[in-house]
């Protein structure tokens, strides 16, 4: 059968991250790698899902109420007028919504701009559509956007730009000034902005997410993709026994939303019916729930405390954190200057010696491989229970007290 595989299939090979995940499972390592919460989802939405199943909402279904709620939120949060009947496509998670968005507008040879580092799924979708990824590097350690570099990246072949904010893996929230620069490029070159806004409600230190669609001339050229999973802790761990809810959506001008819906129907037909019913319950959550995620009100939100805990934990083994995440669920940290290991080698030693697994950063970089910093970062997911984070801290503490493992302690 190997000779029958397509060229696309042959190019999608296992990454070092997958091999390290297998090592971590063999070592029963504490998982600070994957961005899924290991604590319960809100009871009300679990109860809504169970109720839907018990009431036999188990067939093909499109819950229009989801679209109605999303349109209300877009108006209230961003001041955008969205027609719930024509401008929203419900998909099986943000990943499918993003893939369908790419397939709906990208032709063979079209160029798509992406900010580097970035989530690895984007490149695969663009390649499958026949497009050409063009990477614009964000400058470490603050992951700043160079306006001149961005503008030089636009050409007559540029069809779209991908914008993920809050950003995975760095935790950057793009500022209004940066959004204005990106929007100007889109308007000048008549390009589409495809956004990934799954962390839209998860921001810290008084940061607030803004969608680029609200800027002048951008709603008619923006496809917003997002989902239920990060906001309501229903990603599901990456195991065979887990259950992923996979409810996402694309919000776009009617012609694009219709195309995305048509592609969705031909790929997966329908998002899971009982979880759509639960999604409707989730989206009707009181404003206080979303404000808590943003850290509004007295005290720090729980995720913000977890972020600070992990920053302190890495500091205890020699990391100097130069960029504090402004949003998302991740800490992207450069290896200590005295560390001679690459990111993959460091993670391998961390698994073997400390029983903790994180993600080597190279999988998020796609640009000039001559940049040495591309093999000098690790990503830590802090969306874990207090028990998990304390267990990881104990593992590190045991190494420090024993003065062992000079390869990972600095």
């Amino acid at each position: 059968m190997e000779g029958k595989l397509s060229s696309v299939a042959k190019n999608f090979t296992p990454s070092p991250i997958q091999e390290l995940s297998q090592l971590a499972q063999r070592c029963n390592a504490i998982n600070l790698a994957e961005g899924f919460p290991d604590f319960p989802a809100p009871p009300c939405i679990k109860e809504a899902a169970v109720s839907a199943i018990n009431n036999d909402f188990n067939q093909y279904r499109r819950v229009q109420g989801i679209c109605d709620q999303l349109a209300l939120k877009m108006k209230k949060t961003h001041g955008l007028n969205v027609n719930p009947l024509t401008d929203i496509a419900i998909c099986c998670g943000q990943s499918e919504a993003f893939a369908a968005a790419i397939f709906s507008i990208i032709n063979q040879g079209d160029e798509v701009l992406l900010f580097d580092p970035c989530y690895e799924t984007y490149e695969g979708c663009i390649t499958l559509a026949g497009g050409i990824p063009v990477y614009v590097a964000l400058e470490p350690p603050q992951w700043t956007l160079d306006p001149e570099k961005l503008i030089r990246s636009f050409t007559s072949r540029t069809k779209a730009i991908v914008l993920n904010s809050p950003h995975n893996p760095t935790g950057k929230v793009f500022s209004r000034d940066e959004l204005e620069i990106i929007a100007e490029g889109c308007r000048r070159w008549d390009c589409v902005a495809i956004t990934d806004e799954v962390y839209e409600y998860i921001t810290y230190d008084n940061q607030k997410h803004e969608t680029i669609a609200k800027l002048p001339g951008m709603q008619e050229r923006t496809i917003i993709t997002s989902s239920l999973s990060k906001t309501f802790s229903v990603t599901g761990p990456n195991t065979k026994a887990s259950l992923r809810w996979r409810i996402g959506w694309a919000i776009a001008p009617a012609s694009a939303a219709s195309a995305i819906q048509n592609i969705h129907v031909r790929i997966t037909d329908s998002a899971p019916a009982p979880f759509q019913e639960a999604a409707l319950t989730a989206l009707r959550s009181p404003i206080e729930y979303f404000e808590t995620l943003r850290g509004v009100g007295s005290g720090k939100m729980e995720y913000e405390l977890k972020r600070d805990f992990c920053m302190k934990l890495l500091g205890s083994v020699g990391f100097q954190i130069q960029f504090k995440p402004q949003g998302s669920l991740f800490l992207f940290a450069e290896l200590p200057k005295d560390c001679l290991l690459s990111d993959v080698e460091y993670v391998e030693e961390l698994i073997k010696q400390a029983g903790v697994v994180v993600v080597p950063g190279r999988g998020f970089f796609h640009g000039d491989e001559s940049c040495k910093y591309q093999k000098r970062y690790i990503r830590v997911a802090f969306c874990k229970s207090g028990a998990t984070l304390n267990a990881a801290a104990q593992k590190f503490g045991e190494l420090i007290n024993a003065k062992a493992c000079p390869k990972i302690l600095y």
Side-chain angles (χ1 to χ4, degrees):
M1 182 60 74
E2 185 175 350
K4 301 294 185 182
L5 295 178
S6 69
S7 58
V8 171
K10 291 176 181 177
N11 285 332
F12 287 177
T13 57
S15 70
I17 296 175
Q18 291 173 290
E19 296 171 1
L20 288 168
S21 294
Q22 294 171 2
L23 174 61
Q25 289 178 1
R26 292 197 299 271
C27 296
N28 196 27
I30 295 169
N31 190 345
L32 301 185
E34 295 171 289
F36 64 82
D38 61 354
F39 46 83
C44 63
I45 65 172
K46 292 190 290 185
E47 292 164 4
V50 171
S51 176
I53 293 170
N54 288 336
N55 283 286
D56 291 322
F57 291 122
N58 299 311
Q59 310 304 324
Y60 299 132
R61 188 170 178 82
R62 183 177 189 272
V63 178
Q64 179 59 37
I66 294 176
C67 302
D68 297 337
Q69 286 298 313
L70 289 172
L72 289 172
K73 287 190 178 298
M74 292 305 292
K75 180 64 175 179
K76 188 169 185 177
T77 305
H78 301 294
L80 295 175
N81 292 315
V82 172
N83 187 329
L85 297 177
T86 62
D87 298 352
I88 302 174
I90 302 173
C91 298
C92 293
Q94 184 277 335
S95 294
E96 192 204 21
F98 180 86
I102 290 291
F103 299 156
S104 71
I105 64 167
I106 299 301
N107 292 314
Q108 189 77 28
D110 287 342
E111 292 180 353
V112 181
L113 303 186
L114 305 102
F115 295 109
D116 208 37
C118 68
Y119 185 48
E120 61 183 354
T121 296
Y122 303 150
E123 181 180 57
C125 294
I126 294 164
T127 302
L128 283 171
I132 301 170
V134 177
Y135 290 97
V136 181
L138 300 173
E139 299 295 332
Q142 300 300 314
W143 308 109
T144 52
L145 172 61
D146 182 336
E148 293 184 3
K149 184 183 295 184
L150 172 63
I151 296 304
R152 287 198 304 269
S153 300
F154 284 95
T155 73
S156 59
R157 296 182 299 278
T158 306
K159 186 73 167 289
I161 184 168
V162 175
L163 174 62
N164 170 215
S165 181
H167 185 251
N168 176 11
T170 67
K172 173 186 176 68
V173 174
F174 282 75
S175 68
R176 168 59 78 95
D177 288 344
E178 290 172 323
L179 295 180
E180 293 281 8
I181 293 165
I182 297 166
E184 174 58 28
C186 289
R187 291 189 294 260
R188 184 188 304 179
W189 292 94
D190 192 22
C191 295
V192 175
I194 303 176
T195 72
D196 175 353
E197 303 185 19
V198 294
Y199 304 105
E200 59 192 307
Y201 295 109
I202 305 175
T203 57
Y204 315 116
D205 301 323
N206 298 316
Q207 292 280 343
K208 187 176 180 181
H209 165 69
E210 291 188 282
T211 181
I212 196 170
K214 70 185 293 183
L215 299 185
M218 288 304 297
Q219 185 174 3
E220 59 264 35
R221 62 174 70 254
T222 299
I223 300 174
I224 298 170
T225 67
S226 192
S227 76
L228 197 71
S229 62
K230 307 300 182 182
T231 304
F232 293 96
S233 304
V234 288
T235 59
N238 191 20
T239 65
K240 292 181 179 179
S242 72
L243 184 63
R244 296 186 178 202
W245 289 36
R246 313 314 296 161
I247 303 297
W249 48 82
I251 302 174
S255 57
S258 176
I260 291 167
Q261 186 69 33
N262 291 337
I263 291 169
H264 156 71
V265 168
R266 283 160 178 78
I267 296 175
T268 57
D269 203 300
S270 173
F275 297 143
Q276 287 191 62
E277 295 291 338
L280 181 55
T281 296
L283 292 170
R284 287 171 172 164
S285 296
I287 188 65
E288 289 78 15
Y289 179 84
F290 299 97
E291 289 179 345
T292 299
L293 287 175
R294 287 201 302 271
V296 175
S298 61
K300 288 188 175 182
M301 62 170 287
E302 189 174 6
Y303 276 150
E304 195 168 311
L305 291 172
K306 294 175 188 293
R307 176 201 64 178
D308 295 347
F309 182 94
C310 284
M311 291 178 64
K312 184 177 180 180
L313 177 61
L314 290 181
S316 71
V317 292
F319 282 77
Q320 294 182 342
I321 309 300
Q322 300 184 70
F323 181 76
K324 180 185 287 190
Q326 301 165 330
S328 84
L329 303 172
F330 306 108
L331 176 63
F332 203 51
E334 187 176 9
L335 295 176
K337 287 183 169 55
D338 294 336
C339 178
L340 302 180
L341 302 178
S342 71
D343 56 341
V344 172
E345 293 167 337
Y346 185 91
V347 171
E348 185 174 356
E349 288 296 323
L350 191 64
I351 295 169
K352 292 178 179 177
Q353 305 301 331
V356 176
V357 59
V358 298
V359 175
R362 69 178 61 185
F364 301 100
F365 290 104
H366 307 81
D368 185 0
E369 293 186 1
S370 66
C371 295
K372 293 183 179 179
Y373 67 77
Q374 294 190 6
K375 298 179 180 180
R376 297 289 299 169
Y377 280 84
I378 60 170
R379 192 195 73 175
V380 179
F382 52 81
C383 51
K384 306 297 178 180
S385 68
T388 298
L389 295 179
N390 285 325
Q394 183 177 348
K395 293 282 190 180
F396 279 109
E398 290 170 357
L399 292 178
I400 294 169
N401 292 335
K403 297 182 180 179
C405 305
K407 287 185 178 181
I408 59 175
L409 297 178
Y410 293 89

